[in-house]
Amino acid sequence: VQLVESGGGLVQPGGSLRLSCLASGFTFNTYVMMWYRQVPGKERELVAAIGSAGTMINYEDSVKGRFTISRDNAKNTVYLQMNRLKPEDTGVYFCVTVKDSTNPGREYWGQGTQVTVSS
């Protein structure tokens, strides 16, 4: 399993970024895809999740209405569109996957991409 994130960078408050995660090594359309973020000094938090068919979507409360998770099963890619970014959105964003099953097994993590929101 390989997850490769891209799209991070430095953006001003109020700006936008789109993160991408290209997946390989597993049957993408049978796995839940998630975005976590890590802020120094805090625990990793789940930002958004999307089910294997794209019909189940959940967001952490602080990003609702600003972030949109989506997936393209034909391209083995999951996206996180981040709008109206705030300084508190700064952190390392990780793409994570687990099988969409009642017996999901282990999670797999990407290497992360840095997002910095600052003026």
Side-chain angles (χ1 to χ4, degrees), residues 49-88:
I50 185 167
S52 57
T55 53
M56 182 285 294
I57 293 177
N58 288 297
Y59 296 100
E60 193 270 329
D61 284 345
S62 70
V63 308
K64 286 180 180 177
R66 301 188 297 121
F67 290 11
T68 303
I69 189 171
S70 62
R71 64 190 294 159
D72 186 337
N73 285 350
K75 295 182 178 180
N76 282 11
T77 302
V78 63
Y79 305 97
L80 185 66
Q81 177 67 44
M82 304 186 294
N83 298 328
R84 292 185 281 136
L85 282 160
K86 303 176 181 180
E88 52 263 43

Side-chain angles (χ1 to χ4, degrees), residues 11-100:
V11 64
Q12 291 187 343
S16 298
L17 283 175
R18 188 175 85 151
L19 305 183
S20 300
C21 173
L22 178 62
S24 61
F26 61 101
T27 306
F28 184 76
N29 63 6
T30 65
Y31 278 66
V32 176
M33 300 301 299
M34 298 169 279
W35 288 98
Y36 277 76
R37 68 183 172 196
Q38 175 77 67
V39 177
K42 295 186 178 181
E43 294 185 359
R44 288 179 179 178
E45 63 176 350
L46 177 62
V47 174
I50 185 167
S52 57
T55 53
M56 182 285 294
I57 293 177
N58 288 297
Y59 296 100
E60 193 270 329
D61 284 345
S62 70
V63 308
K64 286 180 180 177
R66 301 188 297 121
F67 290 11
T68 303
I69 189 171
S70 62
R71 64 190 294 159
D72 186 337
N73 285 350
K75 295 182 178 180
N76 282 11
T77 302
V78 63
Y79 305 97
L80 185 66
Q81 177 67 44
M82 304 186 294
N83 298 328
R84 292 185 281 136
L85 282 160
K86 303 176 181 180
E88 52 263 43
D89 294 318
T90 294
V92 179
Y93 284 69
F94 296 90
C95 178
V96 183
T97 190
V98 66
K99 192 169 180 59
D100 195 346

